[in-house]
């Protein structure tokens, strides 16, 4: 503060308060045992100006405020009720001194009067020794005005029980320890505004306010609270009284914003609404803050019904029994402002003059804006209840000799919890009240305009918000107005932001195996987890079914029973051949080599059981490796057997030395051992170089995960298969060469049949494997193995077993000798 400002302040204070005035009881003062202070906006200054002379602001020279005078009457009514009460402050009377607080900075003089003692202010006085003129005060109206004077009251901890300052900054008790309020803070009001916006699904809104603490605090909180709500603040502006309001409303209209939050006092709200009417701004939704939600003048503006729907937020409205009678009585006895001449006005104490007040009728006062009525009423009763506690009052009397200092009331206010006209009054640790808001609809289509309650918002004992949509006759053909930058995406579509605001977007359908979750993030298509799937345009993923051939399936049981029967049959033949080992049939079938073949087929059959159940590394390893190796050993025996028969009947005569070496060195066993060893090495390499393993096939079917076995390295697998198939080819070749051998030794047909069945089966399997993806391909693999074993079993061993069991006459050396002699004779003739 500059020296000139200090000079003006001190001179003004002297002019106002050291010029002794005495007057009869009036609207501005009442004597009592304890004095309360009151600050009300009976006038409003249209434009602040800097004064360069030693002169205080005289409020009566500015615009009158009927609602301010109505507030003053509520305070007077509350004081009279308390003074007439027999239970609250019995035998103690309250008085008051009220000032017209019309300016943000010019009327500090009023507060200096409140905190003075015998006309002086002693800032360094101890709290126990200092007794200011008032024990507490209420007011002023407006956050900026309150923030201006609150520090002056803080030094003496004088309770400032406010009825009209909602700035959230005032909840900071480190800066404003003696500030108490009976109206909710901006924080609670902004929360309710956001509740309304979200209730109707709007996300494209404008926020208009003024350049004061009330509006700037509200805008700051709004920007903070709309984060992560999906609401975009499309336009915001803090207006001065001299701003271009027409330009502002035109900008909003051009941006297609249909929901406008006007968070300002009535002065600014009136200018905004008038500009909207003048510029033919139609069919908008206007959300009115507490400060002008129940204003009586704005709804009467001509043409206001065209601007759209106005929804106001106001404190829970309550009636005050006896207030009307009090006002009528006061109108009959008031002595304020009767055609006072200018000279007489100046003789009054500054800012305690109201020349228009006596012209107001009782009906005008009673019907004025009731938004802050309960706040004022509760403020006076809060002070009274706290004083009641400090004076240790009972139902009959108070201890008047008890010292009551202003700071003592603060400690009691925090503990208060009482019912006032059916509503609970209590305060939290920041001296903020319990929250009870109503939302009201402006009915401007009737005369006089009406306010219809359409919703509620409470935070005690828990947050509850209600809105009756049926009571809202929207201007848009009865349907909820659209105020979104973009049309909401269809189900399964994510948003793609366009421009600066997240509310402006295009829609994109989520691809398969992804989904959009609006509660999590509407701008992202999230991929499904490994075990899940989804169609294109999904909002959730489905769990994939895990499939593999199980032991309990019908097909699995059939194949395993077949393999078991096959093993039993092979064992039986093994025993049969062992029992008839010395017979010609067994010897012609290969003798001891038959047992190697049968053993190989038995071991090959065991591999079938590893195709069922959940695949593991061991199962994958054994299901094909066992079969490939032992079946190849069996084919190599067949190959040797075919070659050996040809050698006996053809090669022995043509190449006697070669045959002699073959017989002498057991060529058949050397060949089998060599092939078996080479094939064993190839199988080991196949199983160790990029070995087979169990994998989860999640790409073949969108809704399934197939547990399958990889076939391993392609090259090593090819080598393993080549050896087996090459042995089969040699066997076929030798069988063909021996097609004209004696009947008992001619096995060309049986071997050819078994090998052709072997080839056809595996060609069919690999064709299906490459073209069809299904868990049944695994079963087909097992069937191919069973079929290959059955081919050799039935074509080679069953026929010989039949002779042993059912045609023993053919199983004699003589029979076989006869066959050889017939063959020899046939050859000699040719």
């Amino acid at each position: 503060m500059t020296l000139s400002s200090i000079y003006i302040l001190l001179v003004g204070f002297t002019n106002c308060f050291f010029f002794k005035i005495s007057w009869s009881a009036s609207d501005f003062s009442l004597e009592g045992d304890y004095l309360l202070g009151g600050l009300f906006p009976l006038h409003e200054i249209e434009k602040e100006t800097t004064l360069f002379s030693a002169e205080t602001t005289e409020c009566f020279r500015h615009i009158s405020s009927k609602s301010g005078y109505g507030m003053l009457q509520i305070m007077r009514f509350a004081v009279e009720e308390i003074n007439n009460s027999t239970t609250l402050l019995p035998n103690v009377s309250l008085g008051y001194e009220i000032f017209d607080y019309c300016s943000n900075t010019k009327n500090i003089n009023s507060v200096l009067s409140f905190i003075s003692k015998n006309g002086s202010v002693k800032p360094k006085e101890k709290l126990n020794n200092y007794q200011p003129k008032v024990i507490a005060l209420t007011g002023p109206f407006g956050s900026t005005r309150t923030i201006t004077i609150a520090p002056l009251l803080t030094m003496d901890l004088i309770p400032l029980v406010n009825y009209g300052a909602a700035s959230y900054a005032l909840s900071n008790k480190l800066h404003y320890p003696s500030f108490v309020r009976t109206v909710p803070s901006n924080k609670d009001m902004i929360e309710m505004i956001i509740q309304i916006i979200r209730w109707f699904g709007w996300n494209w809104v404008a926020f208009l306010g003024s350049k004061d603490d009330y509006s700037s605090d509200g805008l700051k909180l709004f920007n903070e609270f709309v984060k992560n709500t999906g609401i975009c603040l499309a336009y915001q502006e803090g207006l001065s009284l001299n701003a271009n309001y027409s330009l502002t409303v035109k900008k909003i209209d051009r941006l297609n914003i249909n929901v406008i939050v006007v968070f300002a006092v009535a002065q600014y709200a009136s200018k905004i609404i008038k500009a909207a009417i003048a510029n033919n701004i139609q069919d908008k939704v206007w959300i009115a803050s507490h400060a002008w939600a129940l204003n009586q003048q704005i709804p009467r503006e001509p043409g206001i019904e065209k601007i759209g729907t106005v929804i106001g937020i106001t404190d829970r409205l309550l009636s005050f029994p006896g207030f009307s009678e009090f006002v009528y009585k006061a109108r009959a006895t008031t002595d304020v402002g009767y055609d006072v001449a200018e000279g007489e006005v100046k003789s009054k104490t500054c800012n305690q003059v109201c020349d228009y007040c006596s012209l107001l009728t009782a009906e005008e006062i009673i019907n004025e804006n009731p938004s802050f009525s309960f706040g004022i009423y509760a403020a006076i009763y809060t002070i009274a209840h706290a004083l009641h506690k400090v004076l240790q009052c009972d139902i009959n009397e108070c201890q008047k000799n008890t010292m009551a200092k202003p700071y003592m009331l603060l400690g009691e206010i925090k503990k208060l919890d009482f019912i006032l006209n059916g509503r609970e009054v209590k305060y939290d640790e920041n001296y903020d009240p319990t929250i009870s808001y109503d939302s009201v609809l402006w009915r401007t289509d009737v005369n006089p305009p009406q306010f219809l309650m359409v919703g509620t918002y409470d935070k005690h004992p828990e947050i509850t918000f209600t809105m009756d949509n049926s009571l809202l006759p929207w201007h848009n053909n009865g349907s909820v107005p659209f105020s979104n930058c973009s049309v909401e995406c269809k189900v399964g579509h994510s948003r793609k932001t366009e421009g600066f605001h997240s509310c402006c977007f295009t829609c994109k359908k989520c691809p398969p195996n992804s989904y959009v979750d609006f509660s999590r993030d509407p701008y992202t298509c999230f991929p499904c987890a490994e075990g899940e799937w989804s169609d294109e345009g999904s909002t959730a993923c489905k769990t994939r079914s895990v499939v593999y051939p199980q032991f309990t399936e019908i097909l699995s049981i059939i194949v395993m029973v077949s393999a078991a029967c096959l093993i039993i049959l092979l064992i039986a033949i093994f025993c049969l051949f062992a029992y008839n080992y010395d017979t010609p049939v067994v010897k012609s079938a290969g003798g001891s080599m038959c047992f190697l073949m049968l053993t190989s087929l038995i071991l090959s059959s065991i591999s079938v059981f590893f195709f069922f159940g959940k695949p593991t590394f061991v199962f994958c390893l054994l299901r094909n490796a066992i079969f490939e190796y032992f079946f190849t050993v069996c084919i190599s025996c067949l190959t040797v057997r075919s070659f050996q028969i040809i050698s006996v009947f053809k090669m022995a005569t043509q190449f006697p030395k070669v045959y002699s070496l073959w017989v002498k060195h057991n060529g058949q066993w050397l060949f089998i051992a060599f092939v078996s060893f080479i094939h064993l090495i190839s199988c080991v390499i196949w199983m160790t170089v990029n070995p087979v393993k169990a994998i989860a096939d999640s790409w073949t079917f969108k809704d399934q995960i197939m547990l399958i076995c990889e076939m391993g390295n392609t090259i090593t697998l090819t080598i393993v298969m080549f050896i087996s198939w090459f042995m089969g080819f040699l066997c076929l070749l030798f069988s063909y060469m021996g097609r004209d051998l004696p009947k008992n030794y001619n096995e060309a047909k049986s071997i050819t049949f078994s090998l052709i069945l072997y080839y056809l089966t595996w060609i069919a399997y690999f064709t299906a494997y490459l073209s069809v993806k299904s868990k049944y391909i695994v079963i087909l693999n097992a069937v191919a193995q069973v079929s290959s074993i059955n081919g050799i079993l039935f074509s080679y061993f069953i026929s010989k077993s039949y002779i042993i069991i059912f045609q023993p006459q053919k199983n004699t050396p003589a029979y076989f000798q006869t066959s050889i002699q017939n063959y020899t004779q046939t050859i000699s003739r040719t």
Side-chain angles (χ1 to χ4, degrees), residues 393-458:
C393 301
D394 54 29
I395 59 174
N396 297 316
E397 63 177 356
C398 298
Q399 304 299 321
K400 284 191 172 182
N401 57 347
T402 301
M403 179 179 63
K405 300 292 184 180
Y407 74 91
M408 297 178 180
L409 272 65
L410 277 177
E412 297 296 337
I413 288 174
K414 185 177 286 188
K415 295 182 286 185
L416 290 179
D417 188 355
F418 61 94
I419 302 300
L420 186 61
N421 281 22
R423 179 170 163 184
E424 184 182 35
V425 178
K426 64 181 298 186
Y427 302 91
D428 61 18
E429 65 277 4
N430 295 320
Y431 293 109
D432 287 335
T434 54
I435 309 305
S436 294
Y437 274 131
D438 286 338
S439 52
V440 294
L441 172 71
W442 283 23
R443 292 291 307 277
T444 56
D445 56 336
V446 296
N447 191 19
Q450 298 177 358
F451 302 96
L452 176 65
M453 190 183 81
V454 293
T456 61
Y457 179 70
D458 295 277

Side-chain angles (χ1 to χ4, degrees), residues 15-280:
N15 288 345
C16 280
F17 297 110
F18 291 105
F19 181 66
K20 297 295 182 179
I21 301 291
S22 62
W23 64 86
S24 60
S26 70
D27 281 352
F28 292 100
S29 64
L30 177 69
E31 294 185 357
D33 296 329
Y34 291 93
L35 202 64
L36 307 183
L39 297 170
F40 296 97
L42 302 182
H43 297 84
E44 292 286 352
I45 295 180
E46 187 74 13
K47 184 179 180 181
E48 294 280 5
T49 57
T50 303
L51 298 178
F52 294 99
S53 60
E55 177 183 327
T56 58
T57 300
E58 294 176 314
C59 291
F60 73 91
R61 298 186 182 277
H62 297 275
I63 299 173
S64 60
S65 173
K66 294 180 183 180
S67 61
Y69 185 66
M71 296 178 188
L72 179 147
Q73 295 301 324
I74 291 289
M75 176 178 175
R76 294 181 63 240
F77 169 65
V79 170
E80 182 172 293
E81 264 194 348
I82 294 168
N83 286 340
N84 292 333
S85 173
T86 58
T87 57
L88 183 60
L89 291 177
N91 77 316
V92 172
S93 64
L94 294 179
Y96 54 76
E97 186 165 356
I98 299 172
F99 287 95
D100 180 4
Y101 196 100
C102 63
S103 169
N104 285 340
T105 56
K106 304 298 183 183
N107 294 328
I108 295 179
N109 313 298
S110 307
V111 181
L112 292 175
S113 172
F114 289 148
I115 66 176
S116 66
K117 180 180 180 181
N118 298 324
S120 64
V121 178
K122 299 179 179 179
K124 294 186 179 181
E125 193 78 23
K126 290 183 178 181
L127 294 178
N128 287 332
N129 300 329
Y130 187 61
Q131 183 71 55
K133 181 190 291 187
V134 298
I135 196 161
L137 69 148
T138 187
F141 178 76
S143 297
T144 300
R145 297 174 181 181
T146 302
I147 290 172
T148 301
I149 67 166
L152 294 173
L153 303 169
T154 296
M155 58 185 180
D156 298 319
L157 291 182
I158 301 172
L160 175 58
V161 187
N162 191 276
Y163 60 85
S167 174
Y168 185 55
L170 290 164
S171 294
N172 189 334
K173 294 302 106 178
L174 293 176
H175 294 163
Y176 308 101
S178 63
F179 176 79
V180 185
R181 59 177 150 208
T182 56
V183 293
S185 70
N186 283 344
K187 174 179 177 291
D188 303 298
M189 196 183 313
I190 292 297
E191 285 177 348
M192 184 177 183
I193 290 173
I194 293 174
Q195 289 273 14
I196 293 173
I197 293 172
R198 297 186 70 181
W199 178 273
F200 294 109
W202 299 319
N203 66 16
W204 195 239
V205 300
F207 192 101
L208 299 180
S210 53
K211 294 182 178 179
D212 55 18
D213 291 280
Y214 172 71
S215 295
S216 59
D217 184 60
L219 177 58
K220 178 183 176 183
L221 289 169
F222 190 83
N223 273 306
E224 179 181 340
F225 288 175
V226 296
K227 292 178 181 177
N228 303 320
T229 63
I231 299 172
C232 293
L233 187 53
Y235 185 86
Q236 58 182 336
E237 187 172 0
L239 300 163
S240 65
L241 288 173
N242 302 322
N244 190 337
Y245 288 81
S246 294
L247 180 61
T248 298
V249 295
K250 287 178 180 178
K251 287 180 181 178
I252 292 173
D253 194 46
R254 282 198 298 269
L255 290 170
N256 294 321
I257 303 171
N258 292 325
V259 175
I260 305 165
V261 179
V262 181
F263 203 90
V265 295
Q267 268 181 298
Y268 296 87
S270 177
K271 289 179 174 290
I272 293 169
I273 296 301
K274 287 178 180 178
I277 296 171
N279 289 276
N280 198 30

Side-chain angles (χ1 to χ4, degrees), residues 651-677:
M651 188 175 170
T653 57
Q654 298 177 12
F655 304 100
K657 291 184 179 180
V658 175
Y659 177 73
S660 175
L661 289 172
W662 175 267
V663 173
K664 181 180 179 181
H665 297 287
N666 292 318
Q668 67 272 25
W669 293 110
L670 289 175
F671 181 81
I672 292 171
F674 175 76
V675 172
S676 299
F677 177 74

Side-chain angles (χ1 to χ4, degrees), residues 611-628:
F611 283 92
F612 308 101
K614 188 174 183 179
T616 62
F617 172 74
V618 174
F619 274 42
C620 290
L621 189 68
L622 297 178
R623 63 171 53 170
N624 278 307
I626 291 178
F627 174 81
E628 284 296 329

Side-chain angles (χ1 to χ4, degrees), residues 463-482:
I463 295 178
T464 56
F465 173 74
T466 63
M467 184 69 72
D468 191 344
N469 294 6
S470 64
L471 298 177
L472 292 162
W474 297 107
H475 53 267
N476 188 23
N477 298 322
S479 59
V480 177
F482 181 80

Side-chain angles (χ1 to χ4, degrees), residues 537-548:
S538 296
T539 57
C541 292
K542 302 174 186 176
T543 302
R544 291 185 174 190
S545 58
V546 179
V547 296
Y548 54 88

